[in-house]
Amino acid sequence: MRKLIQISLLFLIILPGFLLGQNTFKVKGKVTDAKTKEPLIGASVVLKVFNVGAASDFNGNFSFEVPTILAKGQTSDLVASFVNYKKQTVSVTVNGSDITNDFSLEEDILQMQTVVVTGIGTSVEKSKLGNTIGQVSAEQVANSKALDVISAIQGKVANVEITQTSGEAGASTYIRIRGAHSITGGTQPLMVVDGSPINNQEIGVSVGGVTQQNRASDINPKDIESISILKGASAAALYGSRALNGVVLITTKSGKAGKAKVSYDLSYSYDDITQVQPLQQLYGQGTGGVASKTASGTW
C-alpha cells in the first residue's frame, strides 16, 4: 500500500511537466518576396509577446511551438524581417490555437534598415556607423542640370570641394574630400562605378593651354541611381591605399520589373566669348626667350 502511494505521488509530480511539454500550439507560415514571389531563406519571424521565433527554411517556411499554458487570449505582434527588406508586422490573438500567417516582404529601396559591411568583416547598422557617408540621390543629380557627374555633386555634400579648371566648355572638374592630403601626389578620391574603380584624372596631355576633360565626364548624369561619398577610415578600410583621399561610389540605373516606361530629357547650352584676342602665329614655345623652330605654332 505504501509503495502504491509513492508511485501515485511520483506520477502526480511528473504529470504536469509531461502535459506542459505536450500541450503546445504552432505558429507557422511562409515568407516570400513581394515582387518575385520567391521564398526568402533565413528570414526571422518572432512572436513578440513571448520573444520566441524561428528562421524560414529553404522553401521560405517557418514553424515554432509555444506552450499552451502561456496563452491567455492576449494580443501580440508577429514580426517578419529580412536584410534589405522592410519589416512586416501583423497582430494576432494568442488563445492556444495554431496561428498560420504568410508574409510577403517588400524590398527596402532606401535601405534604412540595412547593414554596412566594414573592412574588418563585421556588420553594423548604417545609423551606428562611426564614419560619415554622404548621399546624393538620382533626383538631385538630374535637377542639377550639370553636364558631368562631379559638377552635379557640388553643394550637396558637406566637406566636398568641387573645382573646375577653367571656364571653357568641357573643362575638367576636380573633386576633393576634406581638403588636400598630399603636396606632390594626387588629391582626388577613388571613384567606383558599379564596383569598377576608375581614375578621374585628365584624358590625354594638355598642350598649348588646350582644355582637357576628365574621366567622370564619360558618365551620363541621367544614368545615375545614387552616389555615396565615403569619408575617413571607412573608405581606406574597404578599398585600401587607393582610397587615401576618400571614395565616390556611383551606382547606375538598371532594369526593374513592371511596365515599360519611356522618358526623355532635352537641354542645350552655349558659351559666348566676351572678348576675342588676336592670335599670333609668329612665335611658338621655346626656352630663354628663343622660340623653338619645331614647336607648335612656329612659322
Side-chain angles (χ1 to χ4, degrees):
M1 185 65 180
R2 184 178 180 181
K3 189 174 181 179
L4 181 60
I5 294 174
Q6 292 176 343
I7 295 175
S8 300
L9 292 175
L10 182 62
F11 179 76
L12 291 175
I13 294 173
I14 297 176
L15 181 61
F18 177 78
L19 292 176
L20 181 62
Q22 293 296 319
N23 294 335
T24 59
F25 66 93
K26 283 187 176 182
V27 180
K28 57 184 178 179
K30 188 173 184 178
V31 184
T32 57
D33 185 290
K35 288 185 178 180
T36 64
K37 307 303 179 184
E38 294 292 328
L40 296 179
I41 305 172
S44 175
V45 181
V46 178
L47 189 62
K48 299 297 290 184
V49 68
F50 305 128
N51 199 28
V52 294
S56 57
D57 59 16
F58 185 78
N59 297 316
N61 298 319
F62 68 90
S63 176
F64 57 93
E65 296 183 353
V66 181
T68 307
I69 194 173
L70 299 178
K72 302 183 184 300
Q74 64 268 53
T75 301
S76 174
D77 289 337
L78 186 63
V79 183
S81 60
F82 193 64
V83 176
N84 288 339
Y85 285 80
K86 296 179 181 178
K87 289 183 179 180
Q88 187 174 353
T89 303
V90 296
S91 182
V92 296
T93 301
V94 183
N95 55 14
S97 302
D98 289 349
I99 299 174
T100 302
N101 192 92
D102 294 336
F103 292 93
S104 184
L105 302 185
E106 296 181 356
E107 187 176 359
D108 186 6
I109 299 177
L110 297 178
Q111 297 185 350
M112 297 300 290
Q113 299 174 352
T114 191
V115 296
V116 177
V117 180
T118 63
I120 57 176
T122 59
S123 300
V124 296
E125 292 183 12
K126 191 173 185 177
S127 59
K128 297 180 180 179
L129 190 65
N131 298 293
T132 304
I133 300 179
Q135 297 283 352
V136 181
S137 64
E139 291 76 16
Q140 290 177 307
V141 174
N143 293 336
S144 69
K145 303 299 180 182
L147 298 179
D148 62 272
V149 176
I150 301 301
S151 298
I153 304 174
Q154 188 168 15
K156 297 177 176 61
V157 181
N159 298 323
V160 176
E161 178 185 354
I162 308 295
T163 306
Q164 195 169 14
T165 56
S166 71
E168 298 183 38
S172 300
T173 306
Y174 291 95
I175 176 174
R176 291 196 301 187
I177 300 175
R178 291 179 175 173
H181 299 82
S182 174
I183 297 177
T184 58
T187 59
Q188 295 199 74
L190 173 68
M191 298 187 66
V192 181
V193 181
D194 293 333
S196 300
I198 67 172
N199 194 336
N200 192 40
Q201 301 300 324
E202 289 185 347
I203 303 173
V205 180
S206 180
V207 178
V210 178
T211 298
Q212 302 293 328
Q213 289 188 327
N214 52 329
R215 292 298 304 274
S217 61
D218 295 338
I219 306 172
N220 184 2
K222 305 298 182 183
D223 294 336
I224 301 299
E225 180 72 27
S226 65
I227 300 176
S228 300
I229 299 179
L230 305 183
K231 310 173 186 177
S234 60
L238 290 169
Y239 295 97
S241 60
R242 295 181 299 173
L244 174 64
N245 300 313
V247 178
V248 178
L249 296 176
I250 299 176
T251 303
T252 59
K253 295 178 181 178
S254 59
K256 294 181 175 61
K259 295 182 178 180
K261 296 181 180 180
V262 178
S263 62
Y264 68 92
D265 181 81
L266 175 64
S267 62
Y268 69 91
S269 63
Y270 62 90
D271 295 285
D272 284 334
I273 301 176
T274 57
Q275 184 176 0
V276 179
Q277 298 295 335
L279 178 63
Q280 69 87 18
Q281 297 180 336
L282 179 61
Y283 302 103
Q285 296 177 347
T287 304
V290 180
S292 172
K293 295 182 179 181
T294 60
S296 175
T298 302
W299 288 64

